Amino acid sequence: MLMRNVSVRVDAGETAGALRHNWRYIGYDECNYTTTPEGGELLRKFGELLDAPYYVRVHHLFCNGNGLGVPKWGSTNIFAKDSDGNPVYDYTVFDRIIEAILARGHIPFLELGFMPLDMAEQSYRSSERWSFETFFEYKDKGWRTPPADYGDWRALVYSAVRHCVERWGRENVERWYFELWNEPDLRLYWLGTPEEYFRLYDYTEAAVHEALPSARLAGPATTGPLPGSPSAEYLDGFLKHCREGKNYITGQTGTRLDFITFHVKGGGFVFTPRPEKGHPSVKYLLEQVRTGCGIIKSNGYSDREIVLSECDPDGWAAGGRFDNPNLSFRNTEYYASYIASSYHGLEALADGMGMDVRPLAWAFLFPGERCFEGTRVFSTQGIDKPCMNLFRMLARLEGDSVTFTSDGERDWLAEPDGGEIMPDVSGRAAVSEDGVLRILVYSHHDDPDFNGETGVTLTISGLEASEYTLSHTRIDSEFSNACAAWVREGMPDYPDAETYGRIKARDGLEEIGSSLERPDNGELTIGLKLPARGISLFELVKAT
């Protein structure tokens, strides 16, 4: 069913500087997955993208444990105390993680957390005696506490940053991001008060910049802000502390803040085997971005770079289709089109507010999961999902941004809730130094049951009088979609070798057609049909 017709226009002769690849950020909870064979392979794939390097953020870098990653947990044993109470720093596991990131050509986004076992404030423990339960109590609560001694925390942070500088060099580490903690507004991650987090930030800032004055440090990595929400109040309180509060170290007014982080999600799902229908919302995500940026601007920090250090369709990365069937969307082209639409919308919103906002996809992989488990990952059992193919498309947009307009682009924040709304149809275009014009056109509708096709007339002007090779690559329910192949194979949890090979063969970008074209008076018109959730990439190369 054809729903409507949309006109998209691209002027190849009108450029506006280098196209920003602000999406080059990924992250995941389990720091130890970085050094697994599967983790290394996925980092290699990102390292081979044309717009690499990517910034890589992980949790649990300061936690204690056995150094083995499991869903929602990891550890490095970076800090302990000996029998006399003296600090012992061990960077063995930490170094392997950082080396694995650097070896694939990426840049660490170093999240400073969480609280080491021998540094945690001890009131969470049921007994002072060490026992079988000690580690389980620590894993349950201890890593979320403030330090028993803030001086110990400051010394650890200083030691870690100095270690990085000495091992990998000042110029290298100056490129990294440093961020304090994760979501301190939730008791899931922080059992202290806001003031205790602000104090921790002051101690962290003093340590980081003593070790490396040119380092970039941020906070507070709070959850999605909405007007009047506790998370918005927390973000506002943190920024006020940095701007005009009393510094816990110096006693003076204010604390250095190099960039700012907060998180946004398009929705949330809980465990339930028989859920009501639910789906993410681009509008809901953008409302959080707008609120957070407004708070930042009102506190006088609009000149700071903002990293949405988790920017996703939903929360609970480790949950999957067996926990809530709604999460099956993560396996499909829906996840790819949602990212395309939400990233485009937040870039337009940030530009309109005069701010620099960069999204980080909190997704990676889970070793050992069932095939297409529905977790928020780029790859399942080594098979890449359609969302990974979107990043392959985006990476190809090399060079200068080219004027792109679409009369099918939705202004999500201006729309009322409810009602019959058409898909968001828009995109971007770029021309490389060697003259290759690449145009990405996406269609996204939030409701997974909303179907039908949009007729798109793509008009490209400003072309030279020459013959061009036009190639068309597509992500939809059929192409560049290993999940669709898996469904056709009967949805096996653990495919045998032959079945796996057939599914794996469909996990890359797939070209659906190519042709030779000659513009008429510098203009070329292309007609196509886009499903409610689909992405097309056109590459126009002058024939030699």
Side-chain angles (χ1 to χ4, degrees), residues 383 485-486 489-490 492 494-505:
I383 301 167
W486 170 73
E489 295 288 348
Y494 302 97
D496 59 38
E498 187 175 337
T499 303
Y500 182 93
R502 289 194 296 268
I503 299 170
K504 176 69 176 172

Side-chain angles (χ1 to χ4, degrees), residues 233-453:
E233 293 174 1
Y234 205 113
L235 175 61
D236 185 57
F238 171 76
L239 296 175
K240 282 182 167 56
H241 170 77
C242 291
R243 187 189 70 199
E244 60 191 34
K246 182 178 180 180
N247 188 296
Y248 281 95
I249 297 290
T250 67
Q252 302 300 308
T253 299
T255 308
R256 176 175 164 181
L257 180 63
D258 299 303
F259 67 105
I260 300 166
T261 58
F262 65 92
H263 298 170
V264 293
K265 308 285 183 179
F269 298 91
V270 298
F271 171 79
T272 173
R274 291 176 297 278
E276 295 183 0
K277 174 185 171 181
H279 56 77
S281 163
V282 173
K283 179 179 180 179
Y284 183 64
L285 183 146
L286 294 179
E287 285 173 338
Q288 296 163 56
V289 178
R290 179 172 61 182
T291 302
C293 287
I295 292 169
I296 291 167
K297 185 171 255 187
S298 70
N299 278 282
Y301 286 113
S302 59
D303 61 333
R304 298 298 193 276
E305 180 182 308
I306 301 161
V307 179
L308 306 174
S309 52
E310 293 184 22
C311 179
D312 306 294
D314 64 287
W316 194 22
R321 58 189 171 92
F322 296 98
D323 303 296
N324 187 317
N326 283 313
L327 292 174
S328 294
F329 79 83
R330 294 166 168 176
N331 292 327
T332 73
E333 68 281 359
Y334 183 109
Y335 190 4
S337 65
Y338 184 95
I339 295 173
S341 178
S342 61
Y343 280 17
H344 184 83
L346 74 86
E347 185 175 286
L349 173 62
D351 287 347
M353 298 182 74
M355 303 177 80
D356 180 2
V357 181
R358 306 175 179 217
L360 184 152
W362 195 248
F364 196 57
L365 55 75
F366 288 97
E369 72 173 11
R370 289 163 287 193
C371 202
F372 289 97
E373 182 91 22
T375 50
R376 198 168 65 239
V377 298
F378 295 111
S379 181
T380 176
Q381 293 187 10
I383 301 167
D384 295 337
K385 291 187 179 184
C387 59
M388 182 69 198
N389 283 324
L390 171 64
F391 280 85
R392 290 187 170 110
M393 281 187 171
L394 291 170
R396 291 190 183 184
L397 296 173
E398 298 180 281
D400 288 335
S401 178
V402 169
T403 298
F404 181 111
T405 59
S406 169
D407 63 10
E409 180 175 327
R410 287 173 60 173
D411 184 352
W412 294 95
L413 293 174
E415 296 173 359
D417 293 327
E420 183 80 8
I421 303 293
M422 291 292 103
D424 176 34
V425 179
S426 193
R428 58 186 86 210
V431 60
S432 63
E433 281 189 16
D434 57 359
V436 178
L437 177 65
R438 295 181 175 90
I439 304 165
L440 185 145
V441 185
Y442 70 80
S443 171
H444 175 75
H445 196 284
D446 280 340
D447 187 344
D449 293 331
F450 187 99
N451 292 307
E453 293 180 315

Side-chain angles (χ1 to χ4, degrees), residues 129 138 205 239 315 323 430 467 473 496 513 516:
R129 291 182 60 251
Y138 168 70
E205 186 277 326
L239 296 175
D323 303 296
E467 195 169 61
T473 304
D496 59 38
L516 285 175

